[in-house]
Amino acid sequence: MQQIEDLWKQVDEMMEKTDFNGLWHGFEPVAFAIYNKEKVYLWNHPDNLDDNITFFPWNPQFSGDDLIFYRDYPTAIVSTDHYPEIDCLYPRLMQELFRGYQFLLGEARFPDTWGGFRYPIYLDAIDLKIKERICLYDACMEEDAALKEKKIFEFISFRSRRIKLIKEFAAYEFSLETVKGPALYVQFKALRRCSRNAERTLLNPYTSILFEQGQSLFHLKKSCACSGMLMCFLLDALYRNWQFSFMRSEKSLYDFFCDSLYSLEHRGFSAL
């Protein structure tokens, strides 16, 4: 376990080298901080004046791993008690920084919280969800263009059938994918940049939640974040400038994804 005095130096060095635009087109970091029960190290905050980084004693405003408004400015925070190693701390920090970027752009496609409490439990819908997500994962992993296309449309077919069962509650899932999926996508890309492990090995802890009924049902936010992340990866293969267009769209990630496929279909899936 690394000490915070060592971690802040590593964070500072890695942030200097980070290509934010390479993680997401136009990505600009807000303020960010790492902390433990004694100290807070704060970067990029307007109140830092001439210094990019400052440190001060911990206070209760720094709790959890989240986006907070420290002195009225969006600030990504991550606890070094939760993430004591840089290889885990850095990707999580990127995820929270991206949430700050979403705020700066005025992201408004958030889910209706009440929809999560009323979300129905239909066994047929759960079965279809597992099948659609297997197809989504397989499409991401497939290298052959024709087979990738086949898996994508199987994913859409299963999802269309499931939408007929859960009806208006599909919008709740789509909103979760829209907001949380890109943030998890940024986190994974950051993890990939600081890890020597193979991509599939890194992806397994993220995607395992998609294929088990209990996980998919009772951890709906996490599973939707993951399915949203996978759609982001597919969009990378389909649409060169999709990130810029998506962030300025009012459509859900799924609807944006389907519209991109429709456009691509008329070009013979040449981008796959």
Side-chain angles (χ1 to χ4, degrees):
M1 180 180 295
Q2 294 177 275
Q3 299 296 316
I4 193 169
E5 288 78 9
D6 297 322
L7 281 170
W8 83 259
K9 295 175 184 177
Q10 291 180 288
V11 169
D12 193 57
E13 182 180 350
M14 292 187 74
M15 287 297 180
E16 285 291 326
K17 297 178 180 178
T18 296
D19 176 13
F20 287 93
N21 200 61
L23 293 173
W24 186 278
H25 180 77
F27 183 11
E28 296 181 4
V30 295
F32 58 96
I34 63 172
Y35 71 95
N36 61 15
K37 295 177 182 177
E38 297 177 355
K39 291 182 181 179
V40 176
Y41 288 83
L42 176 69
W43 285 262
N44 206 34
H45 196 282
D47 286 356
N48 284 8
L49 300 177
D50 295 333
D51 297 321
N52 182 50
I53 179 172
T54 187
F55 64 93
F56 47 87
W58 176 84
N59 69 67
Q61 190 170 0
F62 291 84
S63 177
D65 311 297
D66 207 347
L67 180 72
I68 65 171
F69 288 85
Y70 179 67
R71 295 183 178 174
D72 300 320
Y73 190 77
T75 304
I77 65 168
V78 176
S79 166
T80 60
D81 292 329
H82 299 162
Y83 296 90
E85 302 295 334
I86 190 65
D87 289 354
C88 298
L89 185 149
Y90 172 74
R92 182 55 192 264
L93 192 56
M94 288 298 105
Q95 181 184 18
E96 299 305 329
L97 277 168
F98 187 79
R99 292 181 60 204
Y101 174 64
Q102 289 174 310
F103 170 80
L104 291 181
L105 288 187
E107 177 62 79
R109 293 169 288 184
F110 293 98
D112 174 14
T113 304
W114 182 239
F117 293 108
R118 299 185 296 119
Y119 191 85
I121 300 176
Y122 300 145
L123 294 181
D124 288 346
I126 295 172
D127 181 59
L128 287 170
K129 180 188 286 189
I130 300 298
K131 290 178 179 177
E132 80 178 47
R133 288 175 167 180
I134 290 172
C135 291
L136 178 61
Y137 175 81
D138 288 346
C140 283
M141 296 297 103
E142 183 57 62
E143 296 181 359
D144 180 84
L147 292 176
K148 183 184 287 285
E149 176 186 347
K150 180 175 181 291
K151 287 297 180 181
I152 288 173
F153 283 106
E154 286 178 356
F155 158 66
I156 293 174
S157 176
F158 282 125
R159 175 162 286 199
S160 297
R161 289 167 58 188
R162 188 165 66 88
I163 290 171
K164 293 179 181 178
L165 293 177
I166 63 174
K167 299 178 182 178
E168 71 270 16
F169 294 99
Y172 177 73
E173 282 192 29
F174 295 173
S175 294
L176 288 172
E177 290 175 338
T178 299
V179 175
K180 293 183 175 294
L184 196 64
Y185 163 90
V186 167
Q187 184 197 71
F188 182 80
K189 289 182 73 174
L191 175 64
R192 190 166 57 188
R193 291 185 176 196
C194 66
S195 175
R196 296 180 181 178
N197 290 329
E199 183 168 319
R200 289 198 181 212
T201 301
L202 294 176
L203 199 57
N204 285 339
Y206 290 82
T207 56
S208 60
I209 196 173
L210 297 177
F211 312 131
E212 200 276 316
Q213 285 190 357
Q215 293 284 331
S216 186
L217 177 62
F218 297 111
H219 298 280
L220 188 60
K221 291 181 179 179
K222 289 183 178 179
S223 67
C224 286
C226 187
S227 57
M229 176 186 71
L230 294 180
M231 277 189 274
C232 289
F233 284 128
L234 283 174
L235 280 164
D236 282 343
L238 300 173
Y239 186 0
R240 181 173 298 175
N241 298 314
W242 75 271
Q243 294 171 0
F244 179 86
S245 301
F246 170 71
M247 293 301 279
R248 287 149 184 83
S249 171
E250 295 182 356
K251 296 178 181 178
S252 71
L253 178 62
Y254 178 66
D255 288 336
F256 183 90
F257 176 75
C258 290
D259 286 351
S260 299
L261 285 174
Y262 177 77
S263 174
L264 192 62
E265 190 175 15
H266 288 278
R267 303 201 308 267
F269 279 80
S270 58
L272 285 173

